[in-house]
Amino acid sequence: MSVELIIKSSQDEVTIAILHSGKLVELHKEKSNNNFSVGDIYLGKVKKIMPGLNATFVNVGYERDAFLHYLDLGAKFKSFNKYTKGVTGGKFNRPDLDFKLEPEIEKTGKIEETLKSNQNVLVQISKEPISTKGPRLSSEISLAGRYLVLVPFSDKVSVSQKIKNTTEKDRLRRLIESIKPKGFGVIVRTVAQDKKVADLHADMTGLTKRWKQCYDELKNAHAPKKVLGEINRTSSLLRDILNKDFSKIHVDDKELYDELKIYLQEISPEKEKIVQYFEGNVSIFENFGIEKQIKTSFGKNVTLKTGIYLIIEHTEALHVIDVNSGKRGKNKDKTQEENALEVNLEAAEEVARQLRLRDMGGIVVVDFIDLKEAANRKLLHTKMKEFMKDDRAKHKIQPVSKFGFTQITRQKVLVQCVKNGF
């Protein structure tokens, strides 16, 4: 299966499409010059304490104050606070964390006992501003790389649960323990499996350099100020999903083309040649048939070539997808049960695509055509899991009931990547 990344750039935003064998499976949009992207680290200033919400509003330079809940401070908040005061006050003259850590804060603590108005605080954007709301913040800061996630003020090394091989997990854990800097924890990402020592060491070196950049900016910072920016959405996608299946990256902006070439030289030099600058008489999305796919894939009704169609409804509590056989002709040589199974299997593949394409999060209920035989329901469940194996979002798929219902819980990709770096 070939994977292509098509990048359309305009004055206001960059739109990124991921194609699997020519079929659109993911679509991402990023505003140009977005200064409050998920992952950005700011020196903010505490404004209004809200004891009733056990939260506070923080000025990070956005037109509306950002929101920071007590539970998002993180257990190591006092150590982060000590570090912030030490660096901005000139007491710490090195970026390393080789000093005595402060006690962890209680999960049941109160915001007014931990923070004070006008206090400087080091925070990371966990949710971008939307509508009338400012950004959502966290003080559990982490830096994500290609293979690793660096976690300040932690000595723990965690390996992705998706790596099942015990021997490989032990190898990665021992290796990272030997190269990680003191005072930092590390999350080993799934893509680190079977990677060479040199690759992991280079990623660790890159992350520690980014932490030093944060330190250098923090030394002379006056809140509110961004002290470290996350890489752009295009580069972060490459960081998270680039693998041997990638065949081409097409981009219609020369500046972005040059940036991607440089970034690929850093993380995967052998892939640099797959980046191609698009120059054409039509838009890049029209050239690759993406415009047409967008028009047919985002409506309430989604019709497949065989005539099968899905009805997708969104409510406050959940998403509902209804499977219909539509104009698909029945095979007279097969039973009603066999025809129903064929329809369900074809629909299941499209359901998996739609979940990724729309980045649908929360509870999703799929109403398949009824199957009487338990073996067929089990097969449908197995195939559904298979179709969703490439979905980067954390998800669970319940077995199909005898009435044809299956429940899927799925976490949005953006939220998940911010939380744990996978």
Side-chain angles (χ1 to χ4, degrees), residues 132-401:
T132 59
K133 295 181 180 180
R136 180 77 183 250
L137 304 177
S138 171
S139 286
E140 292 189 280
I141 290 171
S142 62
L143 302 179
R146 175 87 173 105
Y147 305 113
L148 309 170
V149 179
L150 196 64
V151 185
F153 300 108
S154 171
D155 287 324
K156 185 178 179 182
V157 174
S158 303
V159 181
S160 168
Q161 294 180 356
K162 291 183 179 180
I163 299 177
K164 304 297 183 183
N165 188 306
T166 305
T167 303
E168 175 62 7
K169 292 181 80 167
D170 290 341
R171 180 189 78 92
L172 290 168
R173 189 176 284 107
R174 288 196 304 270
L175 173 59
I176 299 306
E177 288 280 7
S178 68
I179 64 173
K180 76 177 185 67
K182 188 173 181 179
F184 290 88
V186 175
I187 299 172
V188 183
R189 307 182 71 179
T190 308
V191 290
Q193 184 167 351
D194 300 324
K195 293 301 177 183
K196 296 177 181 178
V197 174
D199 294 327
L200 301 177
H201 192 274
D203 202 35
M204 179 72 77
T205 301
L207 290 173
T208 52
K209 284 182 179 178
R210 281 176 56 76
W211 179 255
K212 185 179 184 304
Q213 290 174 9
C214 181
Y215 162 80
D216 290 338
E217 288 293 326
L218 190 58
K219 280 191 297 186
N220 301 309
H222 297 281
K225 178 178 173 58
K226 182 198 288 189
V227 294
L228 189 67
E230 174 62 293
I231 59 177
N232 62 50
R233 185 73 55 81
T234 310
S235 297
S236 66
L237 267 175
L238 285 179
R239 179 191 66 197
D240 294 341
I241 67 175
L242 186 66
N243 57 42
K244 61 182 177 59
D245 294 328
F246 263 74
S247 57
K248 289 288 187 298
I249 299 173
H250 302 274
V251 56
D252 64 356
D253 181 85
K254 189 64 171 63
E255 184 177 343
L256 188 53
Y257 165 79
D258 292 334
E259 287 179 11
L260 290 176
K261 295 274 282 188
I262 293 171
Y263 183 66
L264 281 173
Q265 286 174 0
E266 295 176 0
I267 69 166
S268 189
E270 72 280 4
K271 289 287 187 181
E272 180 194 348
K273 61 182 180 295
I274 71 174
V275 183
Q276 297 184 0
Y277 178 53
F278 174 82
E279 292 180 286
N281 297 323
V282 297
S283 77
I284 189 170
F285 273 16
E286 186 175 346
N287 182 77
F288 287 96
I290 296 171
E291 294 286 6
K292 184 177 180 180
Q293 291 194 57
I294 290 174
K295 290 178 181 178
T296 59
S297 297
F298 283 90
K300 178 180 176 181
N301 289 18
V302 177
T303 303
L304 282 64
K305 290 182 179 179
T306 56
I308 297 170
Y309 67 95
L310 309 177
I311 299 177
I312 303 176
E313 299 273 10
H314 306 282
T315 72
E316 289 293 326
L318 47 79
H319 309 279
V320 180
I321 302 177
D322 184 37
V323 175
N324 297 273
S325 57
K327 295 180 179 180
R328 178 187 182 277
K330 293 183 179 180
N331 189 330
K332 294 180 181 179
D333 295 329
K334 295 185 177 182
T335 65
Q336 182 176 345
E337 178 82 359
E338 290 171 332
N339 278 304
L341 178 61
E342 285 187 358
V343 170
N344 284 337
L345 291 176
E346 189 176 339
E349 186 172 9
E350 181 62 22
V351 168
R353 185 178 83 102
Q354 287 292 328
L355 295 181
R356 290 179 65 185
L357 194 55
R358 304 180 189 221
D359 198 16
M360 293 163 65
I363 299 173
V364 181
V365 177
V366 185
D367 182 10
F368 288 108
I369 296 174
D370 293 357
L371 292 170
K372 295 180 180 180
E373 296 181 18
N376 288 335
R377 295 197 295 271
K378 184 177 180 180
L379 175 61
L380 177 58
H381 180 238
T382 301
K383 284 292 186 180
M384 190 73 230
K385 291 194 290 184
E386 182 181 315
F387 294 140
M388 290 190 67
K389 66 180 173 58
D390 291 329
D391 194 336
R392 291 178 295 131
K394 186 183 295 184
H395 60 269
K396 290 184 178 180
I397 305 168
Q398 296 296 322
V400 183
S401 75

Side-chain angles (χ1 to χ4, degrees), residues 50-190:
M50 306 292 288
L53 298 175
N54 205 18
T56 183
F57 287 97
V58 179
N59 178 14
V60 291
Y62 188 67
E63 59 191 49
R64 292 181 180 272
D65 289 337
F67 184 79
L68 177 63
H69 194 274
Y70 178 84
L71 294 177
D72 293 321
L73 292 178
K76 304 291 186 181
F77 175 75
K78 288 184 178 179
S79 295
F80 271 109
N81 193 40
K82 179 179 179 179
Y83 179 79
T84 304
K85 287 182 178 179
V87 175
T88 56
K91 294 181 180 179
F92 294 165
N93 56 10
R94 295 183 305 175
D96 60 65
L97 306 180
D98 190 10
F99 62 85
K100 185 179 179 180
L101 300 184
E102 296 296 307
E104 295 186 357
I105 64 173
E106 298 288 338
K107 289 185 179 180
T108 55
K110 298 185 182 300
I111 194 79
E112 65 269 23
E113 296 173 356
T114 311
L115 290 173
K116 296 180 181 179
S117 294
N118 296 318
Q119 176 181 338
N120 286 347
V121 59
L122 193 65
V123 290
Q124 192 167 32
I125 305 291
S126 62
K127 189 175 182 180
E128 294 175 2
I130 183 171
S131 186
T132 59
K133 295 181 180 180
R136 180 77 183 250
L137 304 177
S138 171
S139 286
E140 292 189 280
I141 290 171
S142 62
L143 302 179
R146 175 87 173 105
Y147 305 113
L148 309 170
V149 179
L150 196 64
V151 185
F153 300 108
S154 171
D155 287 324
K156 185 178 179 182
V157 174
S158 303
V159 181
S160 168
Q161 294 180 356
K162 291 183 179 180
I163 299 177
K164 304 297 183 183
N165 188 306
T166 305
T167 303
E168 175 62 7
K169 292 181 80 167
D170 290 341
R171 180 189 78 92
L172 290 168
R173 189 176 284 107
R174 288 196 304 270
L175 173 59
I176 299 306
E177 288 280 7
S178 68
I179 64 173
K180 76 177 185 67
K182 188 173 181 179
F184 290 88
V186 175
I187 299 172
V188 183
R189 307 182 71 179
T190 308

